[in-house]
């Protein structure tokens, strides 16, 4: 008894999906390309008075970053099209069979959004302390005696470094007269 098998050629849609699946890293290339174009466009259209800028100017870093993003996007695209593949996760502390911890992700997102909303009315020292303490809580720290103190100290040091040493003004809020 003989059986005949007929080789049915794969449909064109299947081939296209297979090619896209094999070259999925091109999506990262497209994202880097779009981000590089956005950064360069924003930097090159920046209105800067010649008297305000120093020897380097405020456009320099965004132009370098945007150009770097474009170069990396092109190099990654060439590598992917030549058959390069990203390595699968091999971290010993990551269990890929476990589902994502959406509670932590949502808590962190809420903490960041809350800090963004509160930074103007309360100032950076208070909003930053809430941000640092909230992030520690969301990531699992449960030390109510220690965490708020560390968060407040870290926030005040960050405010002082940026505001006083680097000359980057941050909103002080109600503590502006105290600090």
């Amino acid at each position: 008894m003989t059986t005949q098998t007929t080789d049915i050629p794969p449909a064109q849609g299947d081939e296209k999906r297979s090619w896209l699946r094999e070259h999925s890293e091109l999506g990262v290339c497209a994202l880097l390309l779009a981000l590089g174009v956005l950064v360069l466009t924003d930097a090159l259209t920046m209105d800067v008075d010649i008297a305000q800028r120093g020897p380097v100017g405020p456009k320099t870093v965004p132009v370098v970053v945007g150009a770097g993003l474009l170069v990396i996007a092109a190099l990654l695209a060439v590598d992917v099209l030549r058959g390069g593949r990203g390595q699968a996760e091999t971290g010993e502390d990551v269990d890929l069979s476990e589902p994502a911890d959406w509670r932590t992700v949502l808590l962190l997102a809420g903490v960041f959004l809350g800090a963004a909303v509160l930074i103007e009315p309360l100032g950076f020292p208070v909003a930053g302390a809430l941000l640092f303490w909230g992030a520690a809580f969301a990531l699992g720290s449960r030390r109510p005696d220690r965490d708020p103190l560390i968060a407040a100290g870290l926030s005040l040091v960050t405010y002082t470094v940026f505001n006083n040493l680097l000359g980057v003004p941050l909103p002080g809020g109600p503590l502006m007269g105290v600090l």
Side-chain angles (χ1 to χ4, degrees), residues 103-121:
R103 179 184 178 273
T104 301
V105 171
L106 293 175
L107 278 173
L108 281 173
V111 166
F112 282 115
L113 288 174
V117 168
L118 295 175
I119 196 167
E120 198 59 43

Side-chain angles (χ1 to χ4, degrees), residues 122-154:
L122 297 181
F124 182 85
V126 174
L130 292 173
L131 170 70
F132 295 137
W133 174 78
F137 181 84
L139 294 172
S141 180
R142 299 294 185 263
R143 296 284 309 264
D145 57 330
R146 178 190 68 181
D147 292 344
L149 294 174
I150 292 174
L154 187 58

Side-chain angles (χ1 to χ4, degrees), residues 55-76:
V56 175
K59 289 184 179 184
T60 305
V61 172
V63 167
V64 169
V65 169
L69 286 168
L70 294 179
V71 168
I72 290 171
L75 292 173
L76 182 59

Side-chain angles (χ1 to χ4, degrees), residues 21-164:
R21 215 174 269 127
E22 291 174 9
H23 298 90
S24 60
E25 290 93 346
L26 290 176
V28 175
C29 298
L31 179 69
L32 290 173
L33 177 72
L35 193 59
V37 167
L38 178 70
V39 169
L40 276 177
T41 302
D42 194 40
L44 294 176
T45 59
M46 187 184 303
D47 190 24
V48 178
D49 185 19
I50 192 75
Q52 289 180 341
R53 68 183 190 107
V56 175
K59 289 184 179 184
T60 305
V61 172
V63 167
V64 169
V65 169
L69 286 168
L70 294 179
V71 168
I72 290 171
L75 292 173
L76 182 59
V78 167
D79 181 53
V80 169
L81 292 174
R82 287 185 176 173
R85 301 277 306 172
Q87 272 189 329
E89 175 64 49
T90 59
E92 61 190 48
D93 60 342
V94 177
D95 186 5
L96 296 177
S97 64
E98 290 292 318
D101 184 7
W102 288 107
R103 179 184 178 273
T104 301
V105 171
L106 293 175
L107 278 173
L108 281 173
V111 166
F112 282 115
L113 288 174
V117 168
L118 295 175
I119 196 167
E120 198 59 43
L122 297 181
F124 182 85
V126 174
L130 292 173
L131 170 70
F132 295 137
W133 174 78
F137 181 84
L139 294 172
S141 180
R142 299 294 185 263
R143 296 284 309 264
D145 57 330
R146 178 190 68 181
D147 292 344
L149 294 174
I150 292 174
L154 187 58
S155 181
L156 287 173
V157 167
T158 304
Y159 176 79
T160 303
V161 167
F162 274 86
N163 200 55
N164 299 344

